[in-house]
Amino acid sequence: WILALVPEKNPGLWVTINVVMLIWSSFMLVTIFLDAKREFREQFYLFWSFATTAVWVAEVILEVWYHKSASSCRQIFELLVAAYLTYASAVTLWKKWTHPGKDVDEELTDAMISTVAYFYASEETLRLLWYAMTAD
């Protein structure tokens, strides 16, 4: 069943996931600009940051697992970056819960980078879907 989750084997699923992450990241970016109540924004941001990086790790782990020894250096590097960012967002989430008065830094930069990254990921999985549809 895990093979059915691999982006190369099921690009339609990953197009959907990446487009949802792109929309959510775009919404987060708008929320940062418009929300005057920092408390809601911070809570939403912390959940969004952890969830989007966890999805990224899952996607890259599936790609590396599928390709095994044929995994490229880019995939390994992407997995390390995604794992680090997931770890960093989990630590930030923990710190915010244990020290509620502390501000979250770099929200805007993180949201802009994630929006661009999920735009790229959406484009990549759309290309995989196109290849899968034209190969049949």
Side-chain angles (χ1 to χ4, degrees), residues 47-123:
F47 175 70
W48 165 84
S49 179
F50 182 75
T52 55
T53 54
V55 167
W56 186 19
V57 167
E59 183 175 7
V60 179
I61 282 175
L62 287 167
E63 289 175 1
V64 169
W65 173 80
Y66 179 68
H67 293 288
K68 294 181 179 60
S69 62
S71 294
S72 68
C73 289
R74 182 198 62 81
Q75 287 173 320
I76 301 297
F77 179 73
E78 185 179 359
L79 178 58
L80 292 174
V81 169
Y84 170 76
L85 291 175
T86 302
Y87 167 78
S89 68
V91 167
T92 303
L93 191 62
W94 176 257
K95 285 180 181 178
K96 182 64 180 174
W97 279 343
T98 57
H99 305 309
K102 189 175 180 180
D103 286 342
V104 176
D105 298 328
E106 305 298 327
E107 295 172 346
L108 181 60
T109 303
D110 192 16
M112 289 188 323
I113 290 170
S114 293
T115 301
V116 170
Y118 274 108
F119 180 80
Y120 170 76
S122 298
E123 184 271 330

Side-chain angles (χ1 to χ4, degrees), residues 4-24 55 59 63 117-133:
L5 299 175
V6 173
E8 287 86 350
K9 294 292 184 182
N10 194 350
L13 171 67
W14 285 98
V15 166
T16 303
I17 290 170
N18 286 328
V19 168
V20 167
M21 293 293 111
L22 172 61
I23 292 167
W24 194 15
V55 167
E59 183 175 7
E63 289 175 1
Y118 274 108
F119 180 80
Y120 170 76
S122 298
E123 184 271 330
E124 283 288 306
T125 51
L126 275 169
R127 189 175 326 140
L128 282 174
L129 182 60
W130 175 258
Y131 290 148
M133 290 172 55

